[in-house]
Structures are given as C-alpha cells and as structure tokens.
Amino acid sequence: MSHGLSEGDGGDTTAHRVSGMAGTDRGEGSAERAALRRALEELDARLAAGAERGPGACVRFDSLVEKLRTPAAAFLKPELEERLARHVAADDSFARDRMAHVLAGACGQEALPALLRAMVTDRNEDGDMLHVDVLDLFEAWPDTAFALSMEYTVSDDPGLRRVGLWGVCFFDSLGTEYFGLVADAACDPDPGVRADVMTTLGSSVGLGDPSRALDILIAGASDAAPEVRRAVVSALYGAREAAALSGRPAPDARAALERLATDEEATVRDAARRALAPATGWF
C-alpha cells in the first residue's frame, strides 16, 4: 500500500527538523539541556498564569515554543507528554496546542502516540494547531502513522478506536482498501464510535461500497443512541453521491429521514426536518 509519501521524506520540514535527534544526548548537565529545561519551566509558568491569553496570545508564546521545538529537546519527551496529558484533562486547548506543537517539533514521529491520544477529546478539523501538527506528522511519517491508526482501531479504549478509524480514513479517503474495516465498526458497542462511522460513511469513504454504506446508514436510523441517529441525518444528506452510485432509489433514504423526522429526540427530529425541507433540493 502506498501512502503517497515515503517515510522520512527529505523534503519534509518536520522530518528534517528531527533528523539529528540521535546526536543530541550531551548529558543532563549540559548548558544546552539546562537552558531548554528552563525554557520549559518558563512556558509552564506562563501557561499556568493565564495572563497572556486572549487576542494575539499565540504570537506572545511563539518565540518560547519555537525555542523548544528542536531535536535537542527530545530528552524532555516524558515531561512534555505529561504536561500535554494534563492540559488535555483540564480541557485547556490553548495550553494543549502549545505543548503538542513543542512535542511534535522536538520528537517527530515519537510524538505521534501522545498527540493521537490528545485527539481523543478533540478531533476538530478547523485548523487548530493540534490537528495541523498531527497531519504534519502523518505526512512526514506515513508508515508509522498508519500502523498506529490500525493498532488503535482495535484498542479497548473507544476514544482511541475513533481516532484510529479517523487515521485509517486519512490514508483511504475513498474507501478503496479499508471500507470493510469502517463498515464493521458500525456494530461497535460504543455509540460514539458508531456515530463516527455514520459520519464517515456519509463522506467520500462511502464510495468504497455505496450500496453497503447506504444500508448501514438506513439501519443506523433505528440505532438506540440519539447521537448515532443525529449522525445518520447529516450522513444521509451528505451521501447523495453514494446513494446514486448504489443504484438504490432515493425513497429508501427519504423513508429513513421521514422516520427520523418523528424521532423522540428533538435534535434528531429538527435535523431530519431540515434535511427534508424542499429548499435543500435533496430529492
């Protein structure tokens, strides 16, 4: 399987940044290490104080963050991972993103497990720094990223299973190789995973097997979890191309939306009614 990039591509700036990591061990007492540890302590203190948050906050932290984004800071990996996990647990996305950015720059592919764990609670694709750093690492080390994604799809942690499926779909956006893996997860015991599957099947991944994708979405309209049914509404709207390719008549999907328009959950009902509104031009 080809991911379009070879691992350690010499043209990738992230890979280049960490290429000298193995040669940075100069002893705990070295002046460089001491300076980097002080920089981390300063970053910690400034993040904890919170006085520099607000408009332009990113710029005020840039010089300190970039100072730590060096292979020479790789020895700080345990401390960086601990701080990242702490900021994730505190739901402090600003501090989380600063620490994730440092960890990615200092440790390269070795940072991927910690950054993917951080994505369990936030997989927004709106350009936030955590998401950008993960994508940079995926592009720089596709083999490592893909292997981790596959490993996480069978994790005991449902959050990691969701991240793993997201990662697999990054490398198979048209569902040509791993559609079955995604489709099988529609039976996952965790409703969050099932909801993600519905959303994914409403995207281009559903084109891997349009008929099965539509069957799963229609079945999902009767899922016991409201969050899954809500995901089905948006997925059915987004899956118009898959529905067309499946050779299935539009009324199959429309009937599912009509059932959801009478759902016991108000948010599901409202979403389904909006999807059925003539103004959408869906049917």
Side-chain angles (χ1 to χ4, degrees):
M1 173 180 175
S2 172
H3 303 314
L5 287 170
S6 61
E7 190 152 354
D9 187 344
D12 186 275
T13 56
T14 307
H16 178 72
R17 182 188 294 275
V18 299
S19 62
M21 189 181 300
T24 61
D25 189 0
R26 303 176 185 176
E28 184 66 37
S30 71
E32 183 178 27
R33 285 192 168 203
L36 288 168
R37 193 173 290 281
R38 287 195 299 271
L40 178 57
E41 291 169 356
E42 181 183 350
L43 179 60
D44 262 345
R46 289 173 60 181
L47 288 172
E52 298 175 74
R53 306 289 180 96
C58 295
V59 174
R60 290 191 286 273
F61 282 85
D62 274 353
S63 61
L64 190 55
V65 167
E66 288 305 316
K67 181 176 182 179
L68 286 160
R69 274 177 57 82
T70 168
F75 77 98
L76 291 169
K77 180 173 177 282
E79 292 96 321
L80 293 170
E81 290 181 338
E82 184 278 327
R83 285 161 174 80
L84 175 60
R86 174 157 40 89
H87 295 316
V88 169
D91 196 25
D92 185 343
S93 60
F94 181 84
R96 176 206 67 193
D97 284 4
R98 307 284 83 69
M99 206 60 66
H101 198 51
V102 169
L103 183 60
C107 300
Q109 65 181 322
E110 298 300 322
L112 266 169
L115 266 64
L116 289 173
R117 287 194 299 270
M119 287 186 73
V120 167
T121 57
D122 183 0
R123 291 187 324 288
N124 289 338
E125 299 183 20
D126 57 1
D128 61 300
M129 186 179 287
L130 173 62
H131 184 77
V132 171
D133 278 325
V134 170
L135 292 183
D136 283 348
L137 294 177
F138 268 44
E139 291 174 357
W141 288 282
D143 292 340
T144 299
F146 183 75
L148 279 172
S149 297
M150 289 294 286
E151 176 186 335
Y152 290 165
T153 64
V154 293
S155 169
D156 290 335
D157 183 337
L160 283 179
R161 293 201 297 277
R162 296 172 72 182
V163 170
L165 287 168
W166 172 86
V168 169
C169 291
F170 172 85
F171 292 107
D172 188 26
S173 61
L174 295 178
T176 55
E177 296 186 59
Y178 296 98
F179 175 90
L181 179 67
V182 177
D184 289 346
C187 298
D188 194 276
D190 183 78
V193 175
R194 299 198 303 275
D196 274 13
V197 169
M198 301 304 159
T199 300
T200 299
L201 292 180
S203 71
S204 58
V205 173
L207 300 178
D209 189 339
S211 185
R212 187 180 178 192
L214 190 56
D215 283 340
I216 291 171
L217 290 173
I218 290 172
S222 301
D223 194 283
E227 63 190 283
V228 178
R229 301 197 300 275
R230 284 195 296 272
V232 167
V233 172
S234 59
L236 282 173
Y237 182 79
R240 286 174 290 179
E241 187 176 356
L245 290 174
S246 72
R248 300 279 297 281
D252 285 355
R254 183 179 180 89
L257 285 172
E258 287 173 343
R259 289 198 305 275
L260 291 168
T262 62
D263 196 271
E264 62 184 17
E265 184 78 16
T267 56
V268 177
R269 288 197 307 270
D270 293 344
R273 290 168 183 172
R274 286 194 297 273
L276 288 167
T280 66
W282 202 75
F283 297 106

